[in-house]
Amino acid sequence: MKQVIATFMLLFLAACNNDNLSGTPEHIIDQVKINVIETENYKVAPVTTPQDIKSYGWNQTCGIPVLSEEDKTSFTFNFTAPELHEDQQYCFEFNATTSKNTKYTTKTTINVVAPTLELYIDNASLPTLHQLMHIIESYEENLTRTRFISWGRVSITDEQVRDMLNISTFPLVSNNTSQKLVDAVKSYAQSKNRLNIEIYSNTTHALKNIKPIISSLSGNPNVNIAEINLYDDGSAEYINLYNWKNTPNKIDALNADLLVMKDYVEGYSTQSPSYMSSRYNWHKLYDTEYHFLRADYLTIEPNLNDLRDYLGNSLEQMDWGKFEQLSKAKQQLFLSIVGFDKDSLEKSYANSPNKNFVFTGTTTWAGNETREFYAKQQINVINNAINETSPLYLGEEYDLFFKGHPRGGDINNMILNAFKDMINIPASISFEVLMMTGSLPDKVAGIASSLYFTIPAEKVDFIVFTSSDDITDREEALKSPLVQVMMKLGIVEKQAVQFWSDLPNCESGVCINN
């Protein structure tokens, strides 16, 4: 079966009918260019079907001769793509003449290519959503491609959808590539004459996810790692970049570590590369794109301009507008897979004349406090937003929505139970889905996380930072890498940085400073 949609070009080289002034017979030329995968069949046929044909026939104009005498005199014929050592072109030309001497030509160019296996490996929400968007956006162009998926946050359970997308799923082990996936890739590669592999994974976990696969294939000369796409997990990448930005000779260190990484990834050495090399040296070994949550950080932060230049054309900005560019059918497919009822949420927004406010929760905690303690901290933050006696008061009445963390569990339940009129957005729905689908509320506020890296600034009312072993008050919070990065990117102003232990206690109904 053909793999890439054919492109047709109709050229009229003479007058549009036989009554033209010059009397020159009409000659219509069609051109077809198509990729066909090894061993698959493609029906070669003229694009425009002539009427009252006087004579016709095919001839081959490029490639290893495969056209039989029978094919030459047939109106159509079947081409079976041979198994090859490399991609090759085969060219065929159909010529026909009618009784009125009108000429018809179809020039067909077939590029025989290796099959491609797509691998998607991720344990977090943000990369998975963009990977899913890529599949839905492009699967019609690659209808017969096999896709192996190993995701921790999104499950494709509908058998019809899995069949349509040619998907097989595999478990993660400790959030990374499992041996089951490695064995399946190796077996699939051994079943093919040659194979291209595209890998879509997570920047932070790139080494742990990709290395086992490439190492297992190192002895197979017929496998080509054609493309690697790495997506930011969230704020963790930016904290690491912040901590690394002042390292002396950091680009020289990346270059020096390149051979170490190559030998390690291919399984020829047990010496692992540095953690920054394991994230940002892939493009030196393979055709790689890095999809940054905020690519502009490498320009805004002068001490990272050298990394920006080092990554060059491999550096990409995540595209949040792809959903709106999809057809309605593809949009619905995306929403059904992620389990998001966009219409229902928008009806909830519209049920009241009030504006809509979504509070974003977290699972972050530190120290020896109970989960109930951290739920109460978030409840207090919400009360500060809706209580007129708090400096965080939103300024007017809003309808209250809650978007808990996917791993919030009982913390989410305690928060929901504290507000009888609060409307729950299912925790399993990543907040980024609201951005992708244009379903953001009037105002968003909550606990600091990577989702604030992309929410439009006018939508954000305030951001509250949590405690940790190192951060116990506002002054320490201001020094933390996450706050520094968010201020550098203009996500939050210094005066707007809030720390939950500094907030007034609103438990009594009146917010009282601690």
Side-chain angles (χ1 to χ4, degrees), residues 76-107:
T76 66
F77 66 92
N78 290 321
F79 173 82
T80 301
E83 293 185 337
L84 304 165
H85 294 299
E86 59 185 10
D87 294 355
Q88 288 187 14
Q89 278 192 349
Y90 294 80
C91 309
F92 305 99
E93 187 173 296
F94 174 85
N95 289 291
T97 305
T98 69
S99 58
K100 295 181 180 180
N101 288 327
T102 300
K103 295 182 178 181
Y104 292 84
T105 297
T106 294
K107 296 181 178 181

PDB file of all heavy atoms in Angstrom, residues 76-107:
ATOM      1  N   THR A  76      -3.177  -0.203 -17.028  1.00  0.00           N
ATOM      2  CA  THR A  76      -2.588  -0.043 -15.695  1.00  0.00           C
ATOM      3  C   THR A  76      -1.748  -1.274 -15.396  1.00  0.00           C
ATOM      4  O   THR A  76      -1.909  -2.322 -16.036  1.00  0.00           O
ATOM      5  CB  THR A  76      -3.669   0.091 -14.599  1.00  0.00           C
ATOM      6  OG1 THR A  76      -4.387  -1.133 -14.504  1.00  0.00           O
ATOM      7  CG2 THR A  76      -4.625   1.242 -14.891  1.00  0.00           C
ATOM      8  N   PHE A  77      -0.855  -1.157 -14.412  1.00  0.00           N
ATOM      9  CA  PHE A  77      -0.099  -2.329 -13.973  1.00  0.00           C
ATOM     10  C   PHE A  77       0.275  -2.167 -12.510  1.00  0.00           C
ATOM     11  O   PHE A  77       0.267  -1.055 -11.966  1.00  0.00           O
ATOM     12  CB  PHE A  77       1.150  -2.556 -14.843  1.00  0.00           C
ATOM     13  CG  PHE A  77       2.204  -1.480 -14.732  1.00  0.00           C
ATOM     14  CD1 PHE A  77       3.247  -1.578 -13.812  1.00  0.00           C
ATOM     15  CD2 PHE A  77       2.158  -0.357 -15.556  1.00  0.00           C
ATOM     16  CE1 PHE A  77       4.206  -0.588 -13.711  1.00  0.00           C
ATOM     17  CE2 PHE A  77       3.114   0.639 -15.461  1.00  0.00           C
ATOM     18  CZ  PHE A  77       4.144   0.523 -14.533  1.00  0.00           C
ATOM     19  N   ASN A  78       0.577  -3.264 -11.854  1.00  0.00           N
ATOM     20  CA  ASN A  78       0.949  -3.258 -10.439  1.00  0.00           C
ATOM     21  C   ASN A  78       2.465  -3.226 -10.291  1.00  0.00           C
ATOM     22  O   ASN A  78       3.170  -4.039 -10.903  1.00  0.00           O
ATOM     23  CB  ASN A  78       0.388  -4.492  -9.726  1.00  0.00           C
ATOM     24  CG  ASN A  78      -1.118  -4.438  -9.572  1.00  0.00           C
ATOM     25  OD1 ASN A  78      -1.674  -3.379  -9.304  1.00  0.00           O
ATOM     26  ND2 ASN A  78      -1.783  -5.566  -9.763  1.00  0.00           N
ATOM     27  N   PHE A  79       2.920  -2.291  -9.469  1.00  0.00           N
ATOM     28  CA  PHE A  79       4.351  -2.188  -9.163  1.00  0.00           C
ATOM     29  C   PHE A  79       4.558  -2.671  -7.731  1.00  0.00           C
ATOM     30  O   PHE A  79       3.947  -2.149  -6.792  1.00  0.00           O
ATOM     31  CB  PHE A  79       4.817  -0.735  -9.298  1.00  0.00           C
ATOM     32  CG  PHE A  79       6.227  -0.488  -8.840  1.00  0.00           C
ATOM     33  CD1 PHE A  79       7.301  -0.756  -9.671  1.00  0.00           C
ATOM     34  CD2 PHE A  79       6.482   0.003  -7.563  1.00  0.00           C
ATOM     35  CE1 PHE A  79       8.601  -0.525  -9.254  1.00  0.00           C
ATOM     36  CE2 PHE A  79       7.775   0.235  -7.135  1.00  0.00           C
ATOM     37  CZ  PHE A  79       8.835  -0.031  -7.982  1.00  0.00           C
ATOM     38  N   THR A  80       5.395  -3.673  -7.543  1.00  0.00           N
ATOM     39  CA  THR A  80       5.757  -4.150  -6.210  1.00  0.00           C
ATOM     40  C   THR A  80       7.137  -3.618  -5.874  1.00  0.00           C
ATOM     41  O   THR A  80       8.121  -3.929  -6.577  1.00  0.00           O
ATOM     42  CB  THR A  80       5.756  -5.686  -6.147  1.00  0.00           C
ATOM     43  OG1 THR A  80       4.453  -6.171  -6.487  1.00  0.00           O
ATOM     44  CG2 THR A  80       6.120  -6.163  -4.747  1.00  0.00           C
ATOM     45  N   ALA A  81       7.218  -2.815  -4.833  1.00  0.00           N
ATOM     46  CA  ALA A  81       8.489  -2.184  -4.470  1.00  0.00           C
ATOM     47  C   ALA A  81       9.488  -3.257  -4.025  1.00  0.00           C
ATOM     48  O   ALA A  81       9.202  -4.030  -3.109  1.00  0.00           O
ATOM     49  CB  ALA A  81       8.279  -1.177  -3.361  1.00  0.00           C
ATOM     50  N   PRO A  82      10.639  -3.320  -4.667  1.00  0.00           N
ATOM     51  CA  PRO A  82      11.623  -4.346  -4.306  1.00  0.00           C
ATOM     52  C   PRO A  82      12.363  -4.002  -3.016  1.00  0.00           C
ATOM     53  O   PRO A  82      12.361  -2.856  -2.570  1.00  0.00           O
ATOM     54  CB  PRO A  82      12.588  -4.329  -5.491  1.00  0.00           C
ATOM     55  CG  PRO A  82      12.513  -2.917  -6.007  1.00  0.00           C
ATOM     56  CD  PRO A  82      11.093  -2.481  -5.782  1.00  0.00           C
ATOM     57  N   GLU A  83      12.967  -4.999  -2.415  1.00  0.00           N
ATOM     58  CA  GLU A  83      13.842  -4.768  -1.265  1.00  0.00           C
ATOM     59  C   GLU A  83      15.201  -4.324  -1.784  1.00  0.00           C
ATOM     60  O   GLU A  83      15.780  -4.965  -2.664  1.00  0.00           O
ATOM     61  CB  GLU A  83      13.962  -6.035  -0.420  1.00  0.00           C
ATOM     62  CG  GLU A  83      12.662  -6.410   0.265  1.00  0.00           C
ATOM     63  CD  GLU A  83      12.813  -7.596   1.199  1.00  0.00           C
ATOM     64  OE1 GLU A  83      13.762  -8.393   0.997  1.00  0.00           O
ATOM     65  OE2 GLU A  83      12.006  -7.732   2.136  1.00  0.00           O
ATOM     66  N   LEU A  84      15.708  -3.234  -1.223  1.00  0.00           N
ATOM     67  CA  LEU A  84      16.911  -2.591  -1.739  1.00  0.00           C
ATOM     68  C   LEU A  84      17.901  -2.311  -0.604  1.00  0.00           C
ATOM     69  O   LEU A  84      17.560  -2.436   0.573  1.00  0.00           O
ATOM     70  CB  LEU A  84      16.548  -1.268  -2.427  1.00  0.00           C
ATOM     71  CG  LEU A  84      15.520  -1.338  -3.562  1.00  0.00           C
ATOM     72  CD1 LEU A  84      15.005   0.049  -3.887  1.00  0.00           C
ATOM     73  CD2 LEU A  84      16.130  -1.998  -4.793  1.00  0.00           C
ATOM     74  N   HIS A  85      19.096  -1.901  -0.982  1.00  0.00           N
ATOM     75  CA  HIS A  85      20.084  -1.474   0.008  1.00  0.00           C
ATOM     76  C   HIS A  85      19.950   0.010   0.336  1.00  0.00           C
ATOM     77  O   HIS A  85      20.412   0.471   1.375  1.00  0.00           O
ATOM     78  CB  HIS A  85      21.503  -1.776  -0.485  1.00  0.00           C
ATOM     79  CG  HIS A  85      21.793  -3.234  -0.604  1.00  0.00           C
ATOM     80  ND1 HIS A  85      21.758  -4.092   0.472  1.00  0.00           N
ATOM     81  CD2 HIS A  85      22.106  -4.004  -1.683  1.00  0.00           C
ATOM     82  CE1 HIS A  85      22.046  -5.312   0.081  1.00  0.00           C
ATOM     83  NE2 HIS A  85      22.264  -5.290  -1.227  1.00  0.00           N
ATOM     84  N   GLU A  86      19.319   0.752  -0.594  1.00  0.00           N
ATOM     85  CA  GLU A  86      19.112   2.186  -0.388  1.00  0.00           C
ATOM     86  C   GLU A  86      17.930   2.623  -1.230  1.00  0.00           C
ATOM     87  O   GLU A  86      17.476   1.899  -2.126  1.00  0.00           O
ATOM     88  CB  GLU A  86      20.364   2.977  -0.772  1.00  0.00           C
ATOM     89  CG  GLU A  86      20.779   2.782  -2.216  1.00  0.00           C
ATOM     90  CD  GLU A  86      22.087   3.478  -2.564  1.00  0.00           C
ATOM     91  OE1 GLU A  86      22.774   3.954  -1.651  1.00  0.00           O
ATOM     92  OE2 GLU A  86      22.412   3.553  -3.769  1.00  0.00           O
ATOM     93  N   ASP A  87      17.413   3.821  -0.956  1.00  0.00           N
ATOM     94  CA  ASP A  87      16.270   4.338  -1.708  1.00  0.00           C
ATOM     95  C   ASP A  87      16.631   4.470  -3.188  1.00  0.00           C
ATOM     96  O   ASP A  87      17.753   4.873  -3.531  1.00  0.00           O
ATOM     97  CB  ASP A  87      15.857   5.711  -1.175  1.00  0.00           C
ATOM     98  CG  ASP A  87      15.312   5.653   0.241  1.00  0.00           C
ATOM     99  OD1 ASP A  87      15.165   4.542   0.774  1.00  0.00           O
ATOM    100  OD2 ASP A  87      15.032   6.725   0.810  1.00  0.00           O
ATOM    101  N   GLN A  88      15.682   4.125  -4.055  1.00  0.00           N
ATOM    102  CA  GLN A  88      15.894   4.250  -5.495  1.00  0.00           C
ATOM    103  C   GLN A  88      14.627   4.743  -6.170  1.00  0.00           C
ATOM    104  O   GLN A  88      13.519   4.516  -5.683  1.00  0.00           O
ATOM    105  CB  GLN A  88      16.303   2.903  -6.105  1.00  0.00           C
ATOM    106  CG  GLN A  88      17.715   2.469  -5.765  1.00  0.00           C
ATOM    107  CD  GLN A  88      18.129   1.223  -6.518  1.00  0.00           C
ATOM    108  OE1 GLN A  88      17.476   0.805  -7.479  1.00  0.00           O
ATOM    109  NE2 GLN A  88      19.234   0.612  -6.090  1.00  0.00           N
ATOM    110  N   GLN A  89      14.809   5.398  -7.317  1.00  0.00           N
ATOM    111  CA  GLN A  89      13.676   5.904  -8.088  1.00  0.00           C
ATOM    112  C   GLN A  89      13.383   4.997  -9.283  1.00  0.00           C
ATOM    113  O   GLN A  89      14.287   4.422  -9.897  1.00  0.00           O
ATOM    114  CB  GLN A  89      13.955   7.313  -8.602  1.00  0.00           C
ATOM    115  CG  GLN A  89      13.706   8.404  -7.585  1.00  0.00           C
ATOM    116  CD  GLN A  89      13.718   9.794  -8.206  1.00  0.00           C
ATOM    117  OE1 GLN A  89      14.110   9.969  -9.360  1.00  0.00           O
ATOM    118  NE2 GLN A  89      13.283  10.774  -7.437  1.00  0.00           N
ATOM    119  N   TYR A  90      12.102   4.888  -9.597  1.00  0.00           N
ATOM    120  CA  TYR A  90      11.624   4.193 -10.782  1.00  0.00           C
ATOM    121  C   TYR A  90      10.673   5.132 -11.500  1.00  0.00           C
ATOM    122  O   TYR A  90       9.746   5.676 -10.887  1.00  0.00           O
ATOM    123  CB  TYR A  90      10.907   2.899 -10.410  1.00  0.00           C
ATOM    124  CG  TYR A  90      11.820   1.857  -9.790  1.00  0.00           C
ATOM    125  CD1 TYR A  90      12.178   1.935  -8.450  1.00  0.00           C
ATOM    126  CD2 TYR A  90      12.339   0.816 -10.553  1.00  0.00           C
ATOM    127  CE1 TYR A  90      13.028   1.001  -7.876  1.00  0.00           C
ATOM    128  CE2 TYR A  90      13.190  -0.137  -9.984  1.00  0.00           C
ATOM    129  CZ  TYR A  90      13.532  -0.028  -8.643  1.00  0.00           C
ATOM    130  OH  TYR A  90      14.379  -0.951  -8.082  1.00  0.00           O
ATOM    131  N   CYS A  91      10.920   5.344 -12.802  1.00  0.00           N
ATOM    132  CA  CYS A  91      10.134   6.307 -13.571  1.00  0.00           C
ATOM    133  C   CYS A  91       9.396   5.592 -14.697  1.00  0.00           C
ATOM    134  O   CYS A  91       9.987   4.780 -15.431  1.00  0.00           O
ATOM    135  CB  CYS A  91      11.024   7.395 -14.171  1.00  0.00           C
ATOM    136  SG  CYS A  91      12.124   8.189 -12.975  1.00  0.00           S
ATOM    137  N   PHE A  92       8.116   5.909 -14.839  1.00  0.00           N
ATOM    138  CA  PHE A  92       7.289   5.308 -15.883  1.00  0.00           C
ATOM    139  C   PHE A  92       6.510   6.407 -16.596  1.00  0.00           C
ATOM    140  O   PHE A  92       6.061   7.367 -15.968  1.00  0.00           O
ATOM    141  CB  PHE A  92       6.318   4.289 -15.280  1.00  0.00           C
ATOM    142  CG  PHE A  92       6.988   3.226 -14.461  1.00  0.00           C
ATOM    143  CD1 PHE A  92       7.028   3.332 -13.071  1.00  0.00           C
ATOM    144  CD2 PHE A  92       7.595   2.139 -15.062  1.00  0.00           C
ATOM    145  CE1 PHE A  92       7.650   2.365 -12.307  1.00  0.00           C
ATOM    146  CE2 PHE A  92       8.224   1.158 -14.306  1.00  0.00           C
ATOM    147  CZ  PHE A  92       8.259   1.272 -12.917  1.00  0.00           C
ATOM    148  N   GLU A  93       6.363   6.230 -17.922  1.00  0.00           N
ATOM    149  CA  GLU A  93       5.653   7.232 -18.718  1.00  0.00           C
ATOM    150  C   GLU A  93       4.560   6.554 -19.539  1.00  0.00           C
ATOM    151  O   GLU A  93       4.821   5.582 -20.262  1.00  0.00           O
ATOM    152  CB  GLU A  93       6.620   7.974 -19.625  1.00  0.00           C
ATOM    153  CG  GLU A  93       5.973   9.139 -20.363  1.00  0.00           C
ATOM    154  CD  GLU A  93       6.982   9.966 -21.136  1.00  0.00           C
ATOM    155  OE1 GLU A  93       7.864  10.572 -20.487  1.00  0.00           O
ATOM    156  OE2 GLU A  93       6.894   9.975 -22.381  1.00  0.00           O
ATOM    157  N   PHE A  94       3.357   7.062 -19.399  1.00  0.00           N
ATOM    158  CA  PHE A  94       2.198   6.578 -20.159  1.00  0.00           C
ATOM    159  C   PHE A  94       1.919   7.585 -21.270  1.00  0.00           C
ATOM    160  O   PHE A  94       1.829   8.784 -21.028  1.00  0.00           O
ATOM    161  CB  PHE A  94       0.988   6.468 -19.241  1.00  0.00           C
ATOM    162  CG  PHE A  94      -0.295   6.112 -19.944  1.00  0.00           C
ATOM    163  CD1 PHE A  94      -0.614   4.792 -20.205  1.00  0.00           C
ATOM    164  CD2 PHE A  94      -1.185   7.101 -20.347  1.00  0.00           C
ATOM    165  CE1 PHE A  94      -1.799   4.458 -20.840  1.00  0.00           C
ATOM    166  CE2 PHE A  94      -2.364   6.778 -20.991  1.00  0.00           C
ATOM    167  CZ  PHE A  94      -2.685   5.448 -21.239  1.00  0.00           C
ATOM    168  N   ASN A  95       1.780   7.086 -22.481  1.00  0.00           N
ATOM    169  CA  ASN A  95       1.450   7.946 -23.624  1.00  0.00           C
ATOM    170  C   ASN A  95       0.266   7.349 -24.362  1.00  0.00           C
ATOM    171  O   ASN A  95       0.238   6.145 -24.663  1.00  0.00           O
ATOM    172  CB  ASN A  95       2.629   8.082 -24.581  1.00  0.00           C
ATOM    173  CG  ASN A  95       3.742   8.927 -23.982  1.00  0.00           C
ATOM    174  OD1 ASN A  95       3.589  10.133 -23.813  1.00  0.00           O
ATOM    175  ND2 ASN A  95       4.853   8.283 -23.647  1.00  0.00           N
ATOM    176  N   ALA A  96      -0.713   8.200 -24.649  1.00  0.00           N
ATOM    177  CA  ALA A  96      -1.904   7.754 -25.378  1.00  0.00           C
ATOM    178  C   ALA A  96      -2.307   8.818 -26.394  1.00  0.00           C
ATOM    179  O   ALA A  96      -2.074  10.018 -26.189  1.00  0.00           O
ATOM    180  CB  ALA A  96      -3.046   7.502 -24.408  1.00  0.00           C
ATOM    181  N   THR A  97      -2.909   8.354 -27.481  1.00  0.00           N
ATOM    182  CA  THR A  97      -3.395   9.255 -28.528  1.00  0.00           C
ATOM    183  C   THR A  97      -4.823   8.865 -28.866  1.00  0.00           C
ATOM    184  O   THR A  97      -5.136   7.675 -29.002  1.00  0.00           O
ATOM    185  CB  THR A  97      -2.522   9.180 -29.789  1.00  0.00           C
ATOM    186  OG1 THR A  97      -1.164   9.447 -29.432  1.00  0.00           O
ATOM    187  CG2 THR A  97      -2.970  10.182 -30.829  1.00  0.00           C
ATOM    188  N   THR A  98      -5.699   9.866 -28.986  1.00  0.00           N
ATOM    189  CA  THR A  98      -7.095   9.583 -29.347  1.00  0.00           C
ATOM    190  C   THR A  98      -7.268   9.668 -30.854  1.00  0.00           C
ATOM    191  O   THR A  98      -6.352  10.054 -31.596  1.00  0.00           O
ATOM    192  CB  THR A  98      -8.035  10.586 -28.668  1.00  0.00           C
ATOM    193  OG1 THR A  98      -7.829  11.876 -29.250  1.00  0.00           O
ATOM    194  CG2 THR A  98      -7.774  10.642 -27.171  1.00  0.00           C
ATOM    195  N   SER A  99      -8.469   9.346 -31.302  1.00  0.00           N
ATOM    196  CA  SER A  99      -8.760   9.389 -32.739  1.00  0.00           C
ATOM    197  C   SER A  99      -8.695  10.809 -33.281  1.00  0.00           C
ATOM    198  O   SER A  99      -8.546  11.019 -34.487  1.00  0.00           O
ATOM    199  CB  SER A  99     -10.142   8.790 -32.993  1.00  0.00           C
ATOM    200  OG  SER A  99     -11.120   9.498 -32.258  1.00  0.00           O
ATOM    201  N   LYS A 100      -8.809  11.815 -32.375  1.00  0.00           N
ATOM    202  CA  LYS A 100      -8.707  13.213 -32.799  1.00  0.00           C
ATOM    203  C   LYS A 100      -7.293  13.745 -32.618  1.00  0.00           C
ATOM    204  O   LYS A 100      -7.060  14.946 -32.662  1.00  0.00           O
ATOM    205  CB  LYS A 100      -9.683  14.069 -31.998  1.00  0.00           C
ATOM    206  CG  LYS A 100     -11.138  13.728 -32.268  1.00  0.00           C
ATOM    207  CD  LYS A 100     -12.072  14.631 -31.471  1.00  0.00           C
ATOM    208  CE  LYS A 100     -13.524  14.293 -31.741  1.00  0.00           C
ATOM    209  NZ  LYS A 100     -14.449  15.169 -30.968  1.00  0.00           N
ATOM    210  N   ASN A 101      -6.349  12.801 -32.371  1.00  0.00           N
ATOM    211  CA  ASN A 101      -4.920  13.141 -32.188  1.00  0.00           C
ATOM    212  C   ASN A 101      -4.632  13.936 -30.914  1.00  0.00           C
ATOM    213  O   ASN A 101      -3.583  14.588 -30.812  1.00  0.00           O
ATOM    214  CB  ASN A 101      -4.372  13.893 -33.402  1.00  0.00           C
ATOM    215  CG  ASN A 101      -4.223  12.981 -34.603  1.00  0.00           C
ATOM    216  OD1 ASN A 101      -3.933  11.792 -34.430  1.00  0.00           O
ATOM    217  ND2 ASN A 101      -4.444  13.512 -35.790  1.00  0.00           N
ATOM    218  N   THR A 102      -5.575  13.913 -29.951  1.00  0.00           N
ATOM    219  CA  THR A 102      -5.284  14.488 -28.640  1.00  0.00           C
ATOM    220  C   THR A 102      -4.318  13.561 -27.911  1.00  0.00           C
ATOM    221  O   THR A 102      -4.505  12.339 -27.896  1.00  0.00           O
ATOM    222  CB  THR A 102      -6.572  14.635 -27.802  1.00  0.00           C
ATOM    223  OG1 THR A 102      -7.475  15.489 -28.509  1.00  0.00           O
ATOM    224  CG2 THR A 102      -6.258  15.238 -26.435  1.00  0.00           C
ATOM    225  N   LYS A 103      -3.291  14.138 -27.336  1.00  0.00           N
ATOM    226  CA  LYS A 103      -2.269  13.324 -26.667  1.00  0.00           C
ATOM    227  C   LYS A 103      -2.392  13.447 -25.141  1.00  0.00           C
ATOM    228  O   LYS A 103      -2.630  14.524 -24.618  1.00  0.00           O
ATOM    229  CB  LYS A 103      -0.870  13.766 -27.104  1.00  0.00           C
ATOM    230  CG  LYS A 103      -0.592  13.513 -28.579  1.00  0.00           C
ATOM    231  CD  LYS A 103       0.842  13.920 -28.951  1.00  0.00           C
ATOM    232  CE  LYS A 103       1.114  13.611 -30.421  1.00  0.00           C
ATOM    233  NZ  LYS A 103       2.506  13.982 -30.812  1.00  0.00           N
ATOM    234  N   TYR A 104      -2.216  12.315 -24.461  1.00  0.00           N
ATOM    235  CA  TYR A 104      -2.262  12.256 -23.003  1.00  0.00           C
ATOM    236  C   TYR A 104      -0.970  11.602 -22.517  1.00  0.00           C
ATOM    237  O   TYR A 104      -0.585  10.535 -23.001  1.00  0.00           O
ATOM    238  CB  TYR A 104      -3.443  11.417 -22.520  1.00  0.00           C
ATOM    239  CG  TYR A 104      -4.799  12.029 -22.783  1.00  0.00           C
ATOM    240  CD1 TYR A 104      -5.421  11.874 -24.026  1.00  0.00           C
ATOM    241  CD2 TYR A 104      -5.449  12.756 -21.794  1.00  0.00           C
ATOM    242  CE1 TYR A 104      -6.667  12.428 -24.259  1.00  0.00           C
ATOM    243  CE2 TYR A 104      -6.690  13.312 -22.025  1.00  0.00           C
ATOM    244  CZ  TYR A 104      -7.305  13.153 -23.264  1.00  0.00           C
ATOM    245  OH  TYR A 104      -8.530  13.704 -23.493  1.00  0.00           O
ATOM    246  N   THR A 105      -0.336  12.266 -21.543  1.00  0.00           N
ATOM    247  CA  THR A 105       0.893  11.711 -20.952  1.00  0.00           C
ATOM    248  C   THR A 105       0.790  11.759 -19.435  1.00  0.00           C
ATOM    249  O   THR A 105       0.397  12.790 -18.873  1.00  0.00           O
ATOM    250  CB  THR A 105       2.137  12.504 -21.404  1.00  0.00           C
ATOM    251  OG1 THR A 105       2.276  12.390 -22.823  1.00  0.00           O
ATOM    252  CG2 THR A 105       3.404  11.974 -20.718  1.00  0.00           C
ATOM    253  N   THR A 106       1.122  10.648 -18.792  1.00  0.00           N
ATOM    254  CA  THR A 106       1.265  10.620 -17.328  1.00  0.00           C
ATOM    255  C   THR A 106       2.683  10.184 -17.008  1.00  0.00           C
ATOM    256  O   THR A 106       3.109   9.095 -17.404  1.00  0.00           O
ATOM    257  CB  THR A 106       0.275   9.646 -16.667  1.00  0.00           C
ATOM    258  OG1 THR A 106      -1.049  10.122 -16.852  1.00  0.00           O
ATOM    259  CG2 THR A 106       0.553   9.536 -15.158  1.00  0.00           C
ATOM    260  N   LYS A 107       3.421  11.058 -16.308  1.00  0.00           N
ATOM    261  CA  LYS A 107       4.787  10.737 -15.888  1.00  0.00           C
ATOM    262  C   LYS A 107       4.753  10.384 -14.398  1.00  0.00           C
ATOM    263  O   LYS A 107       4.448  11.240 -13.563  1.00  0.00           O
ATOM    264  CB  LYS A 107       5.717  11.918 -16.141  1.00  0.00           C
ATOM    265  CG  LYS A 107       5.861  12.261 -17.623  1.00  0.00           C
ATOM    266  CD  LYS A 107       6.815  13.428 -17.836  1.00  0.00           C
ATOM    267  CE  LYS A 107       6.977  13.731 -19.323  1.00  0.00           C
ATOM    268  NZ  LYS A 107       7.936  14.850 -19.547  1.00  0.00           N
TER     269      LYS A 107
END
